[in-house]
Amino acid sequence: MPPARPVSLITGASAGIGAAFARDLAARGHDLILTARRADRLESLAEELRARHTSTVTVLPADLADPHAVSALCDALAARGLAVDWLINNAGYGVPGTFEANDWPTHEAFIRVLMTAPTELAWRLLPGMRQRGYGRIINVASLAGHVPGSAGHTLYAASKAYLIKFSQSLALENRHLGVHVCALCPGFTWSEFHDVTGTRELMNKLPGFMWQTAEAVVREGHDAVERGEVVHVTGGVNRFIKALVKLLPDRLALWLSGRESKRYRDLGEAV
């Protein structure tokens, strides 16, 4: 049985899907732990949620690109006596430009934030969930993890494919202990993501029906993990794209990905 007031840790909570998860879970009676790099945004969101709901909101700023950030974050949780029931691994971003256009520290930081940190958080917090017989882990992956990689965001699809496979194995290992794990796979979502990567102008060429709000993505993700769904692609359009790609020969799917890369990706120097 879930606790009367579950405690949820949300990474990348300062904007977009992370902030939408915070608002959704607070409305459902969760106490929250918010983490991201931008402390001012976290504090502003925390004040909003405390005013609107009865939630206790703890703000713990962290840069998950720091190799010691996750252990320090978990030490801070232990010092406050906070046991995490819901883990939302949402922190992420894109690195525009081809692989060689970026230096290694840029790629290393990306891998830490999108792959190493969510894996370590799950490893550190999962034992408590198993012991209590209840837990929810949502790894925010992407439709990109189901389709061929594209030029211009070289590591992005690879990192999301990792989260999908990681979630599947983790779910199989823990579902009999009351811990549900779900890889949430949105497509194009209205957020700051493309503004940060400098690709907003390119993304605006996409038709409106391909986009979802962060709130819609979160609602689907919450329902999916509660159902015990291990991988959930949000939105009918995205599910159609995933099904279509699976039916196409690999060479044709890769060719299509290459064509779309030229239209919607920054293939020039890193910004």
Side-chain angles (χ1 to χ4, degrees):
M1 293 293 293
R5 293 196 64 86
V7 175
S8 296
L9 169 62
I10 305 167
T11 70
S14 59
I17 292 173
F21 260 115
R23 293 186 175 100
D24 178 81
L25 293 172
R28 296 174 188 266
H30 289 224
D31 291 330
L32 304 178
I33 304 154
L34 308 180
T35 188
R37 291 179 302 168
R38 296 177 288 189
D40 56 338
R41 288 207 176 187
L42 293 178
E43 292 291 355
S44 177
L45 178 59
E47 290 178 11
E48 171 198 328
L49 297 177
R50 293 178 190 125
R52 295 179 59 185
H53 306 288
T54 58
S55 300
T56 298
V57 184
T58 303
V59 172
L60 296 173
D63 182 358
L64 297 180
D66 182 339
H68 305 294
V70 171
S71 59
L73 180 60
C74 291
D75 287 346
L77 297 178
R80 289 165 173 79
L82 293 171
V84 174
D85 303 298
W86 283 60
L87 169 61
I88 312 296
N89 276 318
N90 167 74
Y93 58 97
V95 176
T98 56
F99 187 60
E100 77 282 0
N102 293 279
D103 59 18
W104 176 247
T106 297
H107 292 313
E108 184 179 30
F110 178 91
I111 290 168
R112 286 194 181 281
V113 173
L114 275 85
M115 298 173 66
T116 306
T119 306
E120 185 178 355
L121 277 167
W123 181 79
R124 291 183 179 278
L125 298 177
L126 184 60
M129 295 180 184
R130 290 168 59 102
Q131 186 177 34
R132 295 187 298 273
Y134 176 84
R136 302 289 184 265
I137 298 175
I138 297 179
N139 293 317
V140 179
S142 172
L143 175 65
H146 293 284
V147 301
S150 61
H153 279 292
T154 317
L155 296 179
Y156 190 78
S159 70
K160 298 304 186 179
Y162 167 79
L163 285 178
I164 292 168
K165 296 301 183 184
F166 173 59
S167 299
Q168 289 172 329
S169 295
L170 210 58
L172 291 173
E173 293 172 2
N174 293 282
R175 61 186 178 186
H176 64 292
L177 295 170
V179 179
H180 295 184
V181 182
C182 178
L184 179 62
C185 303
F188 295 107
T189 306
W190 294 112
S191 70
E192 296 179 352
F193 180 90
H194 299 291
D195 299 304
V196 173
T197 61
T199 55
R200 171 60 61 196
E201 185 176 349
L202 293 171
M203 291 299 102
N204 285 344
K205 297 178 182 179
L206 288 168
F209 68 83
M210 295 192 68
W211 293 85
Q212 281 187 293
T213 65
E215 291 74 18
V217 168
V218 166
R219 286 193 298 270
E220 288 196 43
H222 187 280
D223 292 344
V225 74
E226 286 288 57
R227 287 194 303 268
E229 193 172 346
V230 177
V231 179
H232 180 77
V233 178
T234 68
V237 171
N238 296 322
R239 289 190 285 272
F240 172 77
I241 292 171
K242 174 180 177 287
L244 179 63
V245 168
K246 290 186 69 173
L247 294 174
L248 293 176
D250 289 346
R251 289 182 64 183
L252 177 57
L254 190 61
W255 176 81
L256 287 171
S257 178
R259 188 185 71 173
E260 295 306 300
S261 295
K262 296 176 183 177
R263 296 174 62 189
Y264 300 115
R265 292 289 186 271
D266 177 6
L267 304 182
E269 292 301 311
V271 295

